[in-house]
Amino acid sequence: MSRWLTEAVPRGRVAAFRTLIYLFVAADLVIFTPWVRTRVSVPGDLYQPLLIGRLLPLPTPTATLVAVIFWALLLLALLAATGRAPRLLGWAVCALYLEWMIIAMSYGKVDHDRFGLLVALAVLPTAGRARHGDTTRTEAGGWALRVTQIAVICTYFLAAFAKLRFGGLDWLTGSVLARAIIRRGTDLADLIAQVPHLLIVAQLGIVAFELMSPVVFLLPPRWRLAMVGFFYSFHAATIATITISFAPHLAAMTSFLPLERVRPLVWARRLIGRATPASATDVPSADPTDADAVPPGQGPVGAGAERALDDQAPVVGRPAGP
């Protein structure tokens, strides 16, 4: 079990996941949860903090407190996305975002799609330093990703458990999806609702899918990625029909993906590197330092061509270049 929990992964994967998660936190503040700032206009006696908010204890939100958390979290999340000071910035972002969520969820509604994201923020500071493109493997980073994956799957499995616990078997054959379509359905959902018994079949399928989600850990890598792709397609259908995005959960679920292969900066440098020699040969040059007059590797172009692809110095176990 310990070997499975700490299965080593490339440091580049940890670096990419870290950047993605912290950028999502910044986006969450301005796109998905800016409404938290309006909570200060609600009377203080309506603030009913979650259990963690009562245990700490945390103060009742005020305009000043919420504004300080918002701007500090936005700035620190952007800094943490660079990978610098991963522990210091990581713990700061984790603490501030947790308080942001406590404020958001202490007025009667708790969203379960943020569990995986909160776990990711809690474990990323323990992964240590990681550079984009680094192929050396790390068990600490593997543990951080594995714990996040477990949190993602627990979100599915426990959602099914909650449905059956509070709704019973009637949840499977009731009008849950029909009510959701009436409240926030799209034109596509209206078409689906006209098919007899299809919504009941969909409810049975949702619970079966959530209960079977832990199987993803038993699959070989290729089939595991295929099942994660099915998870994403399920949420795409959810957005298209009842406009529920689960965006924080989708961000945390990237912990299953080989993110080290996604390197947009390197791709951009390669495109620039290909365009530069082509443009240089189009116009003849009388400069004595051009490519025909200077030995390879000693002119301005030769000296920087290789570094243009990747300005990171080689590390142990990693070849030079991207």
Side-chain angles (χ1 to χ4, degrees):
M1 175 62 75
S2 61
R3 291 181 59 186
W4 179 76
L5 283 173
T6 60
E7 182 180 359
V9 299
R11 293 183 184 275
R13 183 178 305 181
V14 177
F17 182 68
R18 172 182 285 146
T19 297
L20 187 150
I21 290 297
Y22 290 135
L23 287 179
F24 178 84
V25 169
D28 185 51
L29 294 175
V30 298
I31 298 175
F32 299 108
T33 60
W35 49 265
V36 176
R37 303 179 70 182
T38 66
R39 290 291 191 244
V40 297
S41 62
V42 178
D45 56 355
L46 296 180
Y47 175 69
Q48 301 293 326
L50 303 174
L51 176 61
I52 186 173
R54 298 193 301 270
L55 292 177
L56 288 179
L58 297 173
T60 300
T62 63
T64 301
L65 176 64
V66 173
V68 169
I69 293 174
F70 176 86
W71 290 109
L73 182 54
L74 182 60
L75 175 62
L76 292 176
L78 292 175
L79 290 175
T82 66
R84 300 179 183 275
R87 291 181 176 83
L88 177 63
L89 292 175
W91 290 124
V93 170
C94 178
L96 288 172
Y97 191 77
L98 177 61
E99 169 63 357
W100 186 256
M101 285 294 97
I102 291 173
I103 295 173
M105 307 301 168
S106 293
Y107 291 87
K109 181 178 181 293
V110 179
D111 296 330
H112 67 286
D113 64 340
R114 298 181 180 272
F115 178 60
L117 178 63
L118 285 168
V119 170
L121 292 175
V123 298
L124 272 174
T126 69
R129 294 187 177 276
R131 299 175 63 184
H132 289 272
D134 191 347
T135 59
T136 58
R137 294 183 171 266
T138 167
E139 291 187 350
W143 180 84
L145 292 180
R146 183 70 79 198
V147 171
T148 303
Q149 293 170 3
I150 293 173
V152 167
I153 298 305
C154 283
T155 300
Y156 288 130
F157 187 83
L158 295 178
F161 177 77
K163 291 178 178 69
L164 297 177
R165 177 187 177 189
F166 297 104
L169 295 178
D170 290 338
W171 196 98
L172 302 174
T173 58
S175 57
V176 178
L177 289 181
R179 289 197 301 269
I181 291 174
I182 292 172
R183 289 177 55 205
R184 53 192 304 164
T186 63
D187 292 339
L188 175 61
D190 292 338
L191 292 175
I192 294 174
Q194 297 175 17
V195 180
H197 310 298
L198 182 57
L199 295 183
I200 301 299
V201 173
Q203 289 170 186
L204 291 168
I206 289 172
V207 173
F209 143 67
E210 291 175 336
L211 290 175
M212 293 295 293
S213 59
V215 173
V216 71
F217 292 120
L218 304 178
L219 299 176
R222 179 175 297 181
W223 287 102
R224 185 183 305 128
L225 288 177
M227 189 167 184
V228 172
F230 170 76
F231 293 166
Y232 276 105
S233 66
F234 167 77
H235 289 287
T238 302
I239 296 172
T241 52
I242 55 178
T243 62
I244 298 178
S245 69
F246 283 86
H249 178 79
L250 300 182
M253 194 157 60
T254 59
S255 57
F256 282 99
L257 305 179
L259 296 176
E260 71 276 12
R261 301 178 186 176
V262 182
R263 302 191 64 193
L265 293 180
V266 172
W267 297 341
R269 290 169 183 166
R270 286 176 176 169
L271 289 175
I272 295 173
R274 290 172 183 171
T276 302
S279 61
T281 56
D282 291 339
V283 181
S285 173
D287 193 324
T289 62
D290 65 15
D292 294 331
V294 179
Q298 296 185 11
V301 176
E306 294 181 358
R307 297 289 291 171
L309 296 180
D310 193 346
D311 58 2
Q312 294 180 349
V315 296
V316 177
R318 176 192 174 199

